[in-house]
Amino acid sequence: MPLGIPPKYTVYGVIGFAVSFCGAIKYYSRGSKYKGKKNCLGKTFIVTGANSGIGRETAFNFAKEGGRVILACRDMEKCAAAKKEIINFTYNVQVICKKLDLASIKSIRQFAEEINKEETHVDVLVNNAGVMRCPETLTKDGIEMHLGVNHLGHFLLTNLLIEKLKGSVPSRVINVTCSAFVNGKINFKDLNSEDSYEEGVAYSQSKLALMLFTRELSKKLQGTGITVNAVHPGMSKTAIMRHTRLYNSKISSFFFWPIHFFVFKSVDRAAQTVLFAALDPSLQDVSGKYFSDCEEKEISENALNDEDAKRLWLTSEKWTRLT
Ligand SMILES: NC(=O)c1ccc[n+]([C@@H]2O[C@H](COP(=O)([O-])OP(=O)(O)OC[C@H]3O[C@@H](n4cnc5c(N)ncnc54)[C@H](OP(=O)(O)O)[C@@H]3O)[C@@H](O)[C@H]2O)c1
């Protein structure tokens, strides 16, 4: 040993470095925690896809802070289980289950009609539900599933609730997108992916569509007191991955566990930016923005394309039979 360091200390040094390095990655990737005010008392929140993952965690936090929370889910058994769990932990009985299948225009219209009739106000709408990399499937109205659920379902829902949101100002719409929109492209020539279908491409397109919708809607609502923002929650191992090998195969899970452990956030941390966008008082007049890790992030060029946003809006109106 030229430096005269005994081999066992070299080994300890290497182990110490590796542990610190992994610890640093884990610490950095766990994501931020929203530490601002969480004033939910007297407010009504709607969370789509609230029976699992980030949606359930978000709904749980609203309920914990005393909000009235409407769990908007397609599967009423799963919805009832989530409701029970949330009430058991929060002692807040103002947690309500409502049927909403975003893959059905009829179901969305029925849900909106009930909300408009039964609720006196809606303060925050969290468009959280989503599908990722599912096999080629169509919604009940013949729309490619990613586009139909992630974008068009929420497009129609938000528009049908707009008068209620106007009557509840200051109110907020939060669209839960995914950073994958950066690689997305709106393929107007084959928007419904009929000529060719690739799961990843369809997912990115749908999340880019949600980004364009966020900005276009925020422009249309300027000065009304309703804000519209988009949030990337960060990577978290939830049921959204049900169609991926990483989720289903034991072999992949075994080899990729370091990615899960070191890079993915807990569901609690993934919900933090949604809570920030929904509750932070500093964002009362902030609209048309994109947040990740509890801070505003720059929007990529493809999501800043106003021409695409306008064209997509008109197409979305037609496809959802809004007008
Ligand atoms: N987890 C991540 O790494 C990650 C990263 C970036 C963005 N996101 C986004 O975060 C959001 C929440 O995802 P998650 O990770 O919490 O996944 P999740 O646990 O699978 O939650 C998705 C929710 O959407 C619901 N949903 C799916 N199709 C629906 C439909 N047709 N109508 C109504 N609800 C429907 C699901 O209901 P069922 O339980 O009945 O299927 C579920 O409640 C998604 O928009 C996702 O794209 C997640």
Side-chain angles (χ1 to χ4, degrees):
M1 290 300 292
L3 293 174
I5 302 171
K8 74 171 182 185
Y9 291 122
T10 310
V11 172
Y12 292 160
V14 169
I15 292 172
F17 175 77
V19 169
S20 318
F21 181 71
C22 292
I25 294 179
K26 177 82 184 148
Y27 182 82
Y28 179 76
S29 60
R30 71 187 180 147
S32 315
K33 190 144 180 90
Y34 172 56
K35 294 190 179 123
K37 282 192 180 151
K38 290 182 183 166
N39 183 13
C40 297
L41 272 175
K43 289 185 182 169
T44 299
F45 300 83
I46 297 177
V47 183
T48 69
N51 59 279
S52 84
I54 297 161
R56 184 173 55 191
E57 192 63 28
T58 303
F60 166 78
N61 275 277
F62 292 149
K64 197 172 80 180
E65 301 300 327
R68 175 177 167 80
V69 190
I70 296 165
L71 313 177
C73 307
R74 63 173 166 178
D75 183 324
M76 296 319 279
E77 256 178 54
K78 288 187 195 171
C79 193
K83 172 182 164 170
K84 195 172 165 197
E85 200 180 36
I86 294 173
I87 292 179
N88 281 349
F89 275 96
T90 62
Y91 302 109
N92 179 351
V93 291
Q94 289 287 304
V95 180
I96 295 117
C97 277
K98 276 242 174 269
K99 169 96 180 162
L100 170 70
D101 181 358
L102 287 156
S104 156
I105 290 178
K106 189 176 164 203
S107 171
I108 299 168
R109 284 200 168 272
Q110 200 169 334
F111 174 86
E113 205 179 297
E114 284 174 23
I115 295 291
N116 285 328
K117 204 159 49 177
E118 293 165 12
E119 297 300 320
T120 51
H121 55 101
V122 171
D123 302 271
V124 179
L125 168 63
V126 182
N127 288 324
N128 159 81
V131 289
M132 186 182 86
R133 290 183 163 268
C134 55
E136 191 170 9
T137 339
L138 299 179
T139 66
K140 297 203 168 85
D141 309 285
I143 297 163
E144 186 280 311
M145 194 59 79
H146 292 94
L147 189 72
V149 171
N150 299 354
H151 166 59
L152 290 173
H154 287 129
F155 171 90
L156 179 62
L157 176 68
T158 310
N159 275 293
L160 294 176
L161 294 178
I162 218 74
E163 291 308 317
K164 187 60 70 184
L165 288 159
K166 275 186 187 157
S168 319
V169 290
S171 49
R172 302 184 187 195
V173 177
I174 316 299
N175 290 331
V176 181
T177 181
C178 172
S179 57
F181 77 82
V182 173
N183 306 315
K185 188 176 171 287
I186 305 293
N187 184 1
F188 286 106
K189 283 191 190 140
D190 185 27
L191 196 58
N192 213 28
S193 308
E194 277 158 23
D195 297 343
S196 77
Y197 180 78
E198 208 272 287
E199 306 103 12
V201 173
Y203 179 68
S204 306
Q205 173 176 260
S206 70
K207 290 298 187 181
L208 173 59
L210 196 59
M211 284 298 294
L212 293 167
F213 167 52
T214 302
R215 292 190 55 256
E216 189 63 16
L217 181 64
S218 91
K219 279 188 203 163
K220 288 183 191 292
L221 293 175
Q222 226 170 17
T224 60
I226 311 175
T227 59
V228 194
N229 290 300
V231 164
H232 167 59
M235 296 295 286
S236 181
K237 196 183 175 208
T238 64
I240 196 90
M241 301 192 178
R242 69 190 88 173
H243 300 294
T244 63
R245 263 195 231 129
L246 197 63
Y247 193 81
N248 290 314
S249 148
K250 285 209 170 85
I251 298 172
S252 301
S253 293
F254 176 77
F255 284 109
F256 284 104
W257 78 261
I259 296 184
H260 293 153
F261 185 75
F262 289 113
V263 183
F264 282 25
K265 288 178 180 179
S266 65
V267 179
D268 164 53
R269 286 293 167 116
Q272 295 301 314
T273 309
V274 183
L275 298 175
F276 167 66
L279 303 174
D280 199 71
S282 72
L283 301 181
Q284 177 136 321
D285 301 315
V286 176
S287 194
K289 304 293 181 195
Y290 167 59
F291 300 99
S292 174
D293 268 329
C294 294
E295 57 183 46
E296 189 184 331
K297 292 279 154 77
E298 217 172 289
I299 301 178
S300 57
E301 233 164 79
N302 58 349
L304 291 171
N305 188 324
D306 292 337
E307 220 171 279
D308 277 1
K310 284 193 179 76
R311 192 171 167 192
L312 181 69
W313 183 282
L314 292 175
T315 310
S316 304
E317 275 183 344
K318 277 190 203 144
W319 286 25
T320 58
R321 304 196 288 275
L322 179 66
T323 46

